[in-house]
Amino acid sequence: MILPGDLRLRLAAAFVAVALWSQLAGLAPALLAVLLALALFALARQPLPWRRLLHLEAFLLLLFVTLPFTIEGHPVLSLGPLDASAEGFARAFVLAAKVTASVLLIALLIGGREPLHLGRALAGLGLPEPLVRLFIATARYIGVIGAEARRLRDAMRARGFRPRSNLHTWRSYGYLVGMLLVRALDRADRVEDAMRLRGFTGRYPRAPLPAPVPADWVGAALITGAAALTLIWDKL
Amino acid sequence: MTDLIRLTDLDLARDGRAVLSGASLALAPGERLAIVGANGAGKTTLLRAIVGLERAQAGEVALFGNPATREADFRAARPRIGFLFQDSDDQLFCPSVLEDVAFGPLNTGLGPGEANARAATTLDRLGIAHLAERFTHRLSGGEKRLVCLAGLLAMEPEVLLLDEPTNGVDAANGARLAAALAAYDGAMILVSHDDVFVAAFATRAMILAEGRLAPGEIHDHPHLHRHPHIHPA
């Protein structure tokens, strides 16, 4: 098992590897990054996150629609007054490969982890306490707010609301979002009151996490090392 | 005369658990039907199935004499059915009371002027015209419930579905609520734990247990009883 068990090292390795890969410029190194990420999935015997990838690739299609027409270069395709450049297509391919590799790596290393554990690991890496608390509270309450939104939408439907493209629809959706924000703020105040009543003073008393075992360091070093080698090949 | 609402052998399961299994009921014009049952017996689900917010896996829903199976069927019937939610906060989403009450009439195609006039009249009829410009999320529990009811009555529904209407409502607003419901001449289905309220309004009762509806009997008899209460000293 090459993946580090310690979540702090996973986060650090993912961050460093993605930062390195973001600097790739050549198509071959970017494709190698994708291959590396896929190899990690195979080594870890994890199923590929198809749903996540599908959402991502649909978004990346935008690159292929826009970049060829906005980057200057040798025209390979003409649509009326617009010319698509070979350089634009190449750039789109590199970007798509880099983003896919990064998302695969992040999904493998930290996807599916409990937000609470992620928060603890982030605090262990020295992330400021308020940011950690924001992260944990958001993960905790997003479902509550989502459920509130669903119930309000049900109530709107029960009163004969049907979305159309008119002012009434946009105003109603605006009110819906506004009301959710107001409620979320109120709820945040109540949650804070409840926390203060139980002795909260602004710092979360967290037990220090156990030190990573040597195998975790090796795993993290292998992942970041492989990412560094990809970048070195790219820059040679 | 056709039934306003007719459910035939409704089966509805959620998360693999049967909530309704063979539930049937018919609501005739002018009837006020109380549905009682333990917590979690599926009373709210039953009301949601009537307006199509939840779909039964088997059985038939007929609204105003027409079978309702698709969203379009339910959508056509919803303006004629006012559904008062258990939690008023789930129902109020506009910043001001007047806007919230005008929301339904706007959905049924009234212009902004007419909708606001209709909303103002409805608030006045319920005795809460003074709330018109208030923010909905700053109202008391009883005020919120009355504003929700105003939002439904502004659509002039033929049927009201009331889910625990007296929950969290103070005495003064409870009296306004009772007066408004007494003045309402349409049919209603009433889900409530408040026996006094049920006995005062319902003309018929049904009991929901194990996913089925069985006829119940409302009776009123004197009890010799004592209970503590508080008045100004």
Side-chain angles (χ1 to χ4, degrees), chain A residues 90-115:
Chain A
R91 183 78 67 84
F93 271 113
V94 174
L95 270 175
K98 278 160 45 166
V99 172
T100 304
S102 304
V103 167
L104 279 173
L105 187 69
I106 292 171
L108 180 64
L109 286 176
I110 49 187
R113 287 316 181 100
E114 278 300 315

mmCIF file with all atom_site columns, all heavy atoms in Angstrom, chain A residues 90-115:
data_model
loop_
_atom_site.group_PDB
_atom_site.id
_atom_site.type_symbol
_atom_site.label_atom_id
_atom_site.label_alt_id
_atom_site.label_comp_id
_atom_site.label_asym_id
_atom_site.label_entity_id
_atom_site.label_seq_id
_atom_site.pdbx_PDB_ins_code
_atom_site.Cartn_x
_atom_site.Cartn_y
_atom_site.Cartn_z
_atom_site.occupancy
_atom_site.B_iso_or_equiv
_atom_site.pdbx_formal_charge
_atom_site.auth_seq_id
_atom_site.auth_comp_id
_atom_site.auth_asym_id
_atom_site.auth_atom_id
_atom_site.pdbx_PDB_model_num
ATOM 1   N N   . ALA A 1 90  ? -3.922  22.531 -28.587 1.00 0.00 ? 90  ALA A N   1
ATOM 2   C CA  . ALA A 1 90  ? -2.863  21.911 -27.788 1.00 0.00 ? 90  ALA A CA  1
ATOM 3   C C   . ALA A 1 90  ? -2.988  22.366 -26.333 1.00 0.00 ? 90  ALA A C   1
ATOM 4   O O   . ALA A 1 90  ? -2.902  21.566 -25.397 1.00 0.00 ? 90  ALA A O   1
ATOM 5   C CB  . ALA A 1 90  ? -1.497  22.299 -28.351 1.00 0.00 ? 90  ALA A CB  1
ATOM 6   N N   . ARG A 1 91  ? -3.223  23.675 -26.132 1.00 0.00 ? 91  ARG A N   1
ATOM 7   C CA  . ARG A 1 91  ? -3.330  24.210 -24.773 1.00 0.00 ? 91  ARG A CA  1
ATOM 8   C C   . ARG A 1 91  ? -4.512  23.573 -24.040 1.00 0.00 ? 91  ARG A C   1
ATOM 9   O O   . ARG A 1 91  ? -4.413  23.193 -22.875 1.00 0.00 ? 91  ARG A O   1
ATOM 10  C CB  . ARG A 1 91  ? -3.504  25.737 -24.837 1.00 0.00 ? 91  ARG A CB  1
ATOM 11  C CG  . ARG A 1 91  ? -3.565  26.417 -23.499 1.00 0.00 ? 91  ARG A CG  1
ATOM 12  C CD  . ARG A 1 91  ? -2.187  26.573 -22.856 1.00 0.00 ? 91  ARG A CD  1
ATOM 13  N NE  . ARG A 1 91  ? -1.346  27.495 -23.613 1.00 0.00 ? 91  ARG A NE  1
ATOM 14  C CZ  . ARG A 1 91  ? -1.381  28.825 -23.471 1.00 0.00 ? 91  ARG A CZ  1
ATOM 15  N NH1 . ARG A 1 91  ? -2.179  29.376 -22.597 1.00 0.00 ? 91  ARG A NH1 1
ATOM 16  N NH2 . ARG A 1 91  ? -0.599  29.595 -24.191 1.00 0.00 ? 91  ARG A NH2 1
ATOM 17  N N   . ALA A 1 92  ? -5.607  23.423 -24.766 1.00 0.00 ? 92  ALA A N   1
ATOM 18  C CA  . ALA A 1 92  ? -6.796  22.829 -24.146 1.00 0.00 ? 92  ALA A CA  1
ATOM 19  C C   . ALA A 1 92  ? -6.516  21.391 -23.709 1.00 0.00 ? 92  ALA A C   1
ATOM 20  O O   . ALA A 1 92  ? -6.908  20.980 -22.616 1.00 0.00 ? 92  ALA A O   1
ATOM 21  C CB  . ALA A 1 92  ? -7.980  22.883 -25.109 1.00 0.00 ? 92  ALA A CB  1
ATOM 22  N N   . PHE A 1 93  ? -5.794  20.644 -24.553 1.00 0.00 ? 93  PHE A N   1
ATOM 23  C CA  . PHE A 1 93  ? -5.471  19.250 -24.200 1.00 0.00 ? 93  PHE A CA  1
ATOM 24  C C   . PHE A 1 93  ? -4.581  19.200 -22.962 1.00 0.00 ? 93  PHE A C   1
ATOM 25  O O   . PHE A 1 93  ? -4.808  18.404 -22.040 1.00 0.00 ? 93  PHE A O   1
ATOM 26  C CB  . PHE A 1 93  ? -4.773  18.549 -25.370 1.00 0.00 ? 93  PHE A CB  1
ATOM 27  C CG  . PHE A 1 93  ? -5.746  17.902 -26.316 1.00 0.00 ? 93  PHE A CG  1
ATOM 28  C CD1 . PHE A 1 93  ? -5.891  18.372 -27.613 1.00 0.00 ? 93  PHE A CD1 1
ATOM 29  C CD2 . PHE A 1 93  ? -6.518  16.827 -25.892 1.00 0.00 ? 93  PHE A CD2 1
ATOM 30  C CE1 . PHE A 1 93  ? -6.802  17.787 -28.483 1.00 0.00 ? 93  PHE A CE1 1
ATOM 31  C CE2 . PHE A 1 93  ? -7.427  16.235 -26.760 1.00 0.00 ? 93  PHE A CE2 1
ATOM 32  C CZ  . PHE A 1 93  ? -7.570  16.722 -28.051 1.00 0.00 ? 93  PHE A CZ  1
ATOM 33  N N   . VAL A 1 94  ? -3.553  20.064 -22.917 1.00 0.00 ? 94  VAL A N   1
ATOM 34  C CA  . VAL A 1 94  ? -2.649  20.067 -21.761 1.00 0.00 ? 94  VAL A CA  1
ATOM 35  C C   . VAL A 1 94  ? -3.426  20.386 -20.488 1.00 0.00 ? 94  VAL A C   1
ATOM 36  O O   . VAL A 1 94  ? -3.290  19.705 -19.459 1.00 0.00 ? 94  VAL A O   1
ATOM 37  C CB  . VAL A 1 94  ? -1.515  21.088 -21.984 1.00 0.00 ? 94  VAL A CB  1
ATOM 38  C CG1 . VAL A 1 94  ? -0.668  21.205 -20.721 1.00 0.00 ? 94  VAL A CG1 1
ATOM 39  C CG2 . VAL A 1 94  ? -0.648  20.673 -23.154 1.00 0.00 ? 94  VAL A CG2 1
ATOM 40  N N   . LEU A 1 95  ? -4.255  21.449 -20.562 1.00 0.00 ? 95  LEU A N   1
ATOM 41  C CA  . LEU A 1 95  ? -5.020  21.854 -19.382 1.00 0.00 ? 95  LEU A CA  1
ATOM 42  C C   . LEU A 1 95  ? -5.939  20.725 -18.927 1.00 0.00 ? 95  LEU A C   1
ATOM 43  O O   . LEU A 1 95  ? -6.010  20.415 -17.739 1.00 0.00 ? 95  LEU A O   1
ATOM 44  C CB  . LEU A 1 95  ? -5.868  23.088 -19.720 1.00 0.00 ? 95  LEU A CB  1
ATOM 45  C CG  . LEU A 1 95  ? -5.198  24.431 -19.466 1.00 0.00 ? 95  LEU A CG  1
ATOM 46  C CD1 . LEU A 1 95  ? -6.099  25.554 -19.957 1.00 0.00 ? 95  LEU A CD1 1
ATOM 47  C CD2 . LEU A 1 95  ? -4.910  24.602 -17.980 1.00 0.00 ? 95  LEU A CD2 1
ATOM 48  N N   . ALA A 1 96  ? -6.631  20.108 -19.887 1.00 0.00 ? 96  ALA A N   1
ATOM 49  C CA  . ALA A 1 96  ? -7.577  19.049 -19.527 1.00 0.00 ? 96  ALA A CA  1
ATOM 50  C C   . ALA A 1 96  ? -6.839  17.905 -18.844 1.00 0.00 ? 96  ALA A C   1
ATOM 51  O O   . ALA A 1 96  ? -7.298  17.364 -17.833 1.00 0.00 ? 96  ALA A O   1
ATOM 52  C CB  . ALA A 1 96  ? -8.310  18.553 -20.763 1.00 0.00 ? 96  ALA A CB  1
ATOM 53  N N   . ALA A 1 97  ? -5.655  17.538 -19.369 1.00 0.00 ? 97  ALA A N   1
ATOM 54  C CA  . ALA A 1 97  ? -4.898  16.432 -18.785 1.00 0.00 ? 97  ALA A CA  1
ATOM 55  C C   . ALA A 1 97  ? -4.434  16.797 -17.379 1.00 0.00 ? 97  ALA A C   1
ATOM 56  O O   . ALA A 1 97  ? -4.541  15.990 -16.441 1.00 0.00 ? 97  ALA A O   1
ATOM 57  C CB  . ALA A 1 97  ? -3.698  16.098 -19.673 1.00 0.00 ? 97  ALA A CB  1
ATOM 58  N N   . LYS A 1 98  ? -3.924  18.029 -17.193 1.00 0.00 ? 98  LYS A N   1
ATOM 59  C CA  . LYS A 1 98  ? -3.442  18.452 -15.876 1.00 0.00 ? 98  LYS A CA  1
ATOM 60  C C   . LYS A 1 98  ? -4.569  18.445 -14.849 1.00 0.00 ? 98  LYS A C   1
ATOM 61  O O   . LYS A 1 98  ? -4.421  17.934 -13.723 1.00 0.00 ? 98  LYS A O   1
ATOM 62  C CB  . LYS A 1 98  ? -2.853  19.872 -15.967 1.00 0.00 ? 98  LYS A CB  1
ATOM 63  C CG  . LYS A 1 98  ? -1.427  19.882 -16.467 1.00 0.00 ? 98  LYS A CG  1
ATOM 64  C CD  . LYS A 1 98  ? -0.962  21.222 -17.016 1.00 0.00 ? 98  LYS A CD  1
ATOM 65  C CE  . LYS A 1 98  ? -1.302  22.426 -16.205 1.00 0.00 ? 98  LYS A CE  1
ATOM 66  N NZ  . LYS A 1 98  ? -0.524  23.611 -16.653 1.00 0.00 ? 98  LYS A NZ  1
ATOM 67  N N   . VAL A 1 99  ? -5.706  19.015 -15.254 1.00 0.00 ? 99  VAL A N   1
ATOM 68  C CA  . VAL A 1 99  ? -6.827  19.108 -14.314 1.00 0.00 ? 99  VAL A CA  1
ATOM 69  C C   . VAL A 1 99  ? -7.351  17.718 -13.973 1.00 0.00 ? 99  VAL A C   1
ATOM 70  O O   . VAL A 1 99  ? -7.637  17.402 -12.813 1.00 0.00 ? 99  VAL A O   1
ATOM 71  C CB  . VAL A 1 99  ? -7.952  19.998 -14.902 1.00 0.00 ? 99  VAL A CB  1
ATOM 72  C CG1 . VAL A 1 99  ? -9.181  19.950 -14.032 1.00 0.00 ? 99  VAL A CG1 1
ATOM 73  C CG2 . VAL A 1 99  ? -7.466  21.421 -15.043 1.00 0.00 ? 99  VAL A CG2 1
ATOM 74  N N   . THR A 1 100 ? -7.438  16.844 -14.999 1.00 0.00 ? 100 THR A N   1
ATOM 75  C CA  . THR A 1 100 ? -7.930  15.490 -14.739 1.00 0.00 ? 100 THR A CA  1
ATOM 76  C C   . THR A 1 100 ? -7.003  14.759 -13.770 1.00 0.00 ? 100 THR A C   1
ATOM 77  O O   . THR A 1 100 ? -7.447  14.128 -12.805 1.00 0.00 ? 100 THR A O   1
ATOM 78  C CB  . THR A 1 100 ? -8.031  14.701 -16.058 1.00 0.00 ? 100 THR A CB  1
ATOM 79  O OG1 . THR A 1 100 ? -8.866  15.433 -16.946 1.00 0.00 ? 100 THR A OG1 1
ATOM 80  C CG2 . THR A 1 100 ? -8.610  13.327 -15.828 1.00 0.00 ? 100 THR A CG2 1
ATOM 81  N N   . ALA A 1 101 ? -5.669  14.858 -14.021 1.00 0.00 ? 101 ALA A N   1
ATOM 82  C CA  . ALA A 1 101 ? -4.714  14.184 -13.135 1.00 0.00 ? 101 ALA A CA  1
ATOM 83  C C   . ALA A 1 101 ? -4.856  14.705 -11.705 1.00 0.00 ? 101 ALA A C   1
ATOM 84  O O   . ALA A 1 101 ? -4.872  13.928 -10.740 1.00 0.00 ? 101 ALA A O   1
ATOM 85  C CB  . ALA A 1 101 ? -3.294  14.412 -13.656 1.00 0.00 ? 101 ALA A CB  1
ATOM 86  N N   . SER A 1 102 ? -4.976  16.041 -11.560 1.00 0.00 ? 102 SER A N   1
ATOM 87  C CA  . SER A 1 102 ? -5.054  16.625 -10.225 1.00 0.00 ? 102 SER A CA  1
ATOM 88  C C   . SER A 1 102 ? -6.313  16.171 -9.504  1.00 0.00 ? 102 SER A C   1
ATOM 89  O O   . SER A 1 102 ? -6.276  15.812 -8.318  1.00 0.00 ? 102 SER A O   1
ATOM 90  C CB  . SER A 1 102 ? -5.040  18.158 -10.317 1.00 0.00 ? 102 SER A CB  1
ATOM 91  O OG  . SER A 1 102 ? -3.896  18.576 -11.010 1.00 0.00 ? 102 SER A OG  1
ATOM 92  N N   . VAL A 1 103 ? -7.443  16.188 -10.214 1.00 0.00 ? 103 VAL A N   1
ATOM 93  C CA  . VAL A 1 103 ? -8.693  15.799 -9.571  1.00 0.00 ? 103 VAL A CA  1
ATOM 94  C C   . VAL A 1 103 ? -8.667  14.325 -9.187  1.00 0.00 ? 103 VAL A C   1
ATOM 95  O O   . VAL A 1 103 ? -9.121  13.945 -8.104  1.00 0.00 ? 103 VAL A O   1
ATOM 96  C CB  . VAL A 1 103 ? -9.895  16.132 -10.481 1.00 0.00 ? 103 VAL A CB  1
ATOM 97  C CG1 . VAL A 1 103 ? -11.167 15.462 -9.977  1.00 0.00 ? 103 VAL A CG1 1
ATOM 98  C CG2 . VAL A 1 103 ? -10.095 17.628 -10.546 1.00 0.00 ? 103 VAL A CG2 1
ATOM 99  N N   . LEU A 1 104 ? -8.072  13.488 -10.061 1.00 0.00 ? 104 LEU A N   1
ATOM 100 C CA  . LEU A 1 104 ? -7.959  12.070 -9.722  1.00 0.00 ? 104 LEU A CA  1
ATOM 101 C C   . LEU A 1 104 ? -7.146  11.896 -8.440  1.00 0.00 ? 104 LEU A C   1
ATOM 102 O O   . LEU A 1 104 ? -7.517  11.145 -7.535  1.00 0.00 ? 104 LEU A O   1
ATOM 103 C CB  . LEU A 1 104 ? -7.285  11.314 -10.866 1.00 0.00 ? 104 LEU A CB  1
ATOM 104 C CG  . LEU A 1 104 ? -8.175  10.940 -12.046 1.00 0.00 ? 104 LEU A CG  1
ATOM 105 C CD1 . LEU A 1 104 ? -7.343  10.359 -13.175 1.00 0.00 ? 104 LEU A CD1 1
ATOM 106 C CD2 . LEU A 1 104 ? -9.244  9.948  -11.609 1.00 0.00 ? 104 LEU A CD2 1
ATOM 107 N N   . LEU A 1 105 ? -6.028  12.610 -8.363  1.00 0.00 ? 105 LEU A N   1
ATOM 108 C CA  . LEU A 1 105 ? -5.159  12.471 -7.197  1.00 0.00 ? 105 LEU A CA  1
ATOM 109 C C   . LEU A 1 105 ? -5.871  12.935 -5.925  1.00 0.00 ? 105 LEU A C   1
ATOM 110 O O   . LEU A 1 105 ? -5.839  12.260 -4.886  1.00 0.00 ? 105 LEU A O   1
ATOM 111 C CB  . LEU A 1 105 ? -3.881  13.281 -7.408  1.00 0.00 ? 105 LEU A CB  1
ATOM 112 C CG  . LEU A 1 105 ? -2.818  13.073 -6.332  1.00 0.00 ? 105 LEU A CG  1
ATOM 113 C CD1 . LEU A 1 105 ? -2.255  11.667 -6.427  1.00 0.00 ? 105 LEU A CD1 1
ATOM 114 C CD2 . LEU A 1 105 ? -1.699  14.088 -6.464  1.00 0.00 ? 105 LEU A CD2 1
ATOM 115 N N   . ILE A 1 106 ? -6.555  14.105 -6.021  1.00 0.00 ? 106 ILE A N   1
ATOM 116 C CA  . ILE A 1 106 ? -7.259  14.629 -4.846  1.00 0.00 ? 106 ILE A CA  1
ATOM 117 C C   . ILE A 1 106 ? -8.367  13.663 -4.433  1.00 0.00 ? 106 ILE A C   1
ATOM 118 O O   . ILE A 1 106 ? -8.553  13.372 -3.247  1.00 0.00 ? 106 ILE A O   1
ATOM 119 C CB  . ILE A 1 106 ? -7.826  16.037 -5.147  1.00 0.00 ? 106 ILE A CB  1
ATOM 120 C CG1 . ILE A 1 106 ? -6.678  17.021 -5.313  1.00 0.00 ? 106 ILE A CG1 1
ATOM 121 C CG2 . ILE A 1 106 ? -8.755  16.490 -4.037  1.00 0.00 ? 106 ILE A CG2 1
ATOM 122 C CD1 . ILE A 1 106 ? -7.091  18.378 -5.817  1.00 0.00 ? 106 ILE A CD1 1
ATOM 123 N N   . ALA A 1 107 ? -9.103  13.146 -5.431  1.00 0.00 ? 107 ALA A N   1
ATOM 124 C CA  . ALA A 1 107 ? -10.193 12.214 -5.117  1.00 0.00 ? 107 ALA A CA  1
ATOM 125 C C   . ALA A 1 107 ? -9.646  10.984 -4.416  1.00 0.00 ? 107 ALA A C   1
ATOM 126 O O   . ALA A 1 107 ? -10.238 10.485 -3.456  1.00 0.00 ? 107 ALA A O   1
ATOM 127 C CB  . ALA A 1 107 ? -10.926 11.824 -6.389  1.00 0.00 ? 107 ALA A CB  1
ATOM 128 N N   . LEU A 1 108 ? -8.483  10.507 -4.873  1.00 0.00 ? 108 LEU A N   1
ATOM 129 C CA  . LEU A 1 108 ? -7.922  9.289  -4.283  1.00 0.00 ? 108 LEU A CA  1
ATOM 130 C C   . LEU A 1 108 ? -7.410  9.554  -2.870  1.00 0.00 ? 108 LEU A C   1
ATOM 131 O O   . LEU A 1 108 ? -7.635  8.759  -1.948  1.00 0.00 ? 108 LEU A O   1
ATOM 132 C CB  . LEU A 1 108 ? -6.778  8.774  -5.159  1.00 0.00 ? 108 LEU A CB  1
ATOM 133 C CG  . LEU A 1 108 ? -6.103  7.507  -4.640  1.00 0.00 ? 108 LEU A CG  1
ATOM 134 C CD1 . LEU A 1 108 ? -7.085  6.355  -4.636  1.00 0.00 ? 108 LEU A CD1 1
ATOM 135 C CD2 . LEU A 1 108 ? -4.901  7.153  -5.493  1.00 0.00 ? 108 LEU A CD2 1
ATOM 136 N N   . LEU A 1 109 ? -6.709  10.689 -2.701  1.00 0.00 ? 109 LEU A N   1
ATOM 137 C CA  . LEU A 1 109 ? -6.053  10.921 -1.410  1.00 0.00 ? 109 LEU A CA  1
ATOM 138 C C   . LEU A 1 109 ? -7.010  11.429 -0.345  1.00 0.00 ? 109 LEU A C   1
ATOM 139 O O   . LEU A 1 109 ? -6.898  11.050 0.824   1.00 0.00 ? 109 LEU A O   1
ATOM 140 C CB  . LEU A 1 109 ? -4.891  11.911 -1.585  1.00 0.00 ? 109 LEU A CB  1
ATOM 141 C CG  . LEU A 1 109 ? -3.659  11.328 -2.281  1.00 0.00 ? 109 LEU A CG  1
ATOM 142 C CD1 . LEU A 1 109 ? -2.614  12.408 -2.493  1.00 0.00 ? 109 LEU A CD1 1
ATOM 143 C CD2 . LEU A 1 109 ? -3.070  10.187 -1.479  1.00 0.00 ? 109 LEU A CD2 1
ATOM 144 N N   . ILE A 1 110 ? -7.921  12.346 -0.709  1.00 0.00 ? 110 ILE A N   1
ATOM 145 C CA  . ILE A 1 110 ? -8.757  12.918 0.354   1.00 0.00 ? 110 ILE A CA  1
ATOM 146 C C   . ILE A 1 110 ? -10.247 12.826 0.082   1.00 0.00 ? 110 ILE A C   1
ATOM 147 O O   . ILE A 1 110 ? -11.036 13.129 0.964   1.00 0.00 ? 110 ILE A O   1
ATOM 148 C CB  . ILE A 1 110 ? -8.364  14.394 0.655   1.00 0.00 ? 110 ILE A CB  1
ATOM 149 C CG1 . ILE A 1 110 ? -8.279  15.195 -0.627  1.00 0.00 ? 110 ILE A CG1 1
ATOM 150 C CG2 . ILE A 1 110 ? -7.074  14.470 1.414   1.00 0.00 ? 110 ILE A CG2 1
ATOM 151 C CD1 . ILE A 1 110 ? -7.728  16.587 -0.414  1.00 0.00 ? 110 ILE A CD1 1
ATOM 152 N N   . GLY A 1 111 ? -10.650 12.373 -1.114  1.00 0.00 ? 111 GLY A N   1
ATOM 153 C CA  . GLY A 1 111 ? -12.089 12.232 -1.381  1.00 0.00 ? 111 GLY A CA  1
ATOM 154 C C   . GLY A 1 111 ? -12.668 11.172 -0.461  1.00 0.00 ? 111 GLY A C   1
ATOM 155 O O   . GLY A 1 111 ? -11.998 10.202 -0.112  1.00 0.00 ? 111 GLY A O   1
ATOM 156 N N   . GLY A 1 112 ? -13.902 11.345 -0.029  1.00 0.00 ? 112 GLY A N   1
ATOM 157 C CA  . GLY A 1 112 ? -14.552 10.321 0.781   1.00 0.00 ? 112 GLY A CA  1
ATOM 158 C C   . GLY A 1 112 ? -14.099 10.285 2.225   1.00 0.00 ? 112 GLY A C   1
ATOM 159 O O   . GLY A 1 112 ? -14.532 9.421  2.979   1.00 0.00 ? 112 GLY A O   1
ATOM 160 N N   . ARG A 1 113 ? -13.197 11.209 2.619   1.00 0.00 ? 113 ARG A N   1
ATOM 161 C CA  . ARG A 1 113 ? -12.792 11.252 4.024   1.00 0.00 ? 113 ARG A CA  1
ATOM 162 C C   . ARG A 1 113 ? -13.812 12.033 4.827   1.00 0.00 ? 113 ARG A C   1
ATOM 163 O O   . ARG A 1 113 ? -14.424 12.968 4.327   1.00 0.00 ? 113 ARG A O   1
ATOM 164 C CB  . ARG A 1 113 ? -11.402 11.903 4.166   1.00 0.00 ? 113 ARG A CB  1
ATOM 165 C CG  . ARG A 1 113 ? -10.295 10.995 3.687   1.00 0.00 ? 113 ARG A CG  1
ATOM 166 C CD  . ARG A 1 113 ? -10.567 9.626  4.219   1.00 0.00 ? 113 ARG A CD  1
ATOM 167 N NE  . ARG A 1 113 ? -9.584  8.637  3.858   1.00 0.00 ? 113 ARG A NE  1
ATOM 168 C CZ  . ARG A 1 113 ? -8.607  8.247  4.676   1.00 0.00 ? 113 ARG A CZ  1
ATOM 169 N NH1 . ARG A 1 113 ? -8.446  8.785  5.844   1.00 0.00 ? 113 ARG A NH1 1
ATOM 170 N NH2 . ARG A 1 113 ? -7.781  7.314  4.280   1.00 0.00 ? 113 ARG A NH2 1
ATOM 171 N N   . GLU A 1 114 ? -13.991 11.664 6.097   1.00 0.00 ? 114 GLU A N   1
ATOM 172 C CA  . GLU A 1 114 ? -14.912 12.405 6.960   1.00 0.00 ? 114 GLU A CA  1
ATOM 173 C C   . GLU A 1 114 ? -14.440 13.849 7.098   1.00 0.00 ? 114 GLU A C   1
ATOM 174 O O   . GLU A 1 114 ? -13.270 14.088 7.400   1.00 0.00 ? 114 GLU A O   1
ATOM 175 C CB  . GLU A 1 114 ? -14.938 11.767 8.346   1.00 0.00 ? 114 GLU A CB  1
ATOM 176 C CG  . GLU A 1 114 ? -15.828 10.568 8.457   1.00 0.00 ? 114 GLU A CG  1
ATOM 177 C CD  . GLU A 1 114 ? -17.269 10.903 8.144   1.00 0.00 ? 114 GLU A CD  1
ATOM 178 O OE1 . GLU A 1 114 ? -17.749 11.934 8.645   1.00 0.00 ? 114 GLU A OE1 1
ATOM 179 O OE2 . GLU A 1 114 ? -17.895 10.155 7.393   1.00 0.00 ? 114 GLU A OE2 1
ATOM 180 N N   . PRO A 1 115 ? -15.345 14.831 6.891   1.00 0.00 ? 115 PRO A N   1
ATOM 181 C CA  . PRO A 1 115 ? -14.933 16.223 7.020   1.00 0.00 ? 115 PRO A CA  1
ATOM 182 C C   . PRO A 1 115 ? -14.299 16.521 8.381   1.00 0.00 ? 115 PRO A C   1
ATOM 183 O O   . PRO A 1 115 ? -13.363 17.310 8.473   1.00 0.00 ? 115 PRO A O   1
ATOM 184 C CB  . PRO A 1 115 ? -16.246 16.999 6.851   1.00 0.00 ? 115 PRO A CB  1
ATOM 185 C CG  . PRO A 1 115 ? -17.122 16.093 6.082   1.00 0.00 ? 115 PRO A CG  1
ATOM 186 C CD  . PRO A 1 115 ? -16.728 14.697 6.448   1.00 0.00 ? 115 PRO A CD  1
#
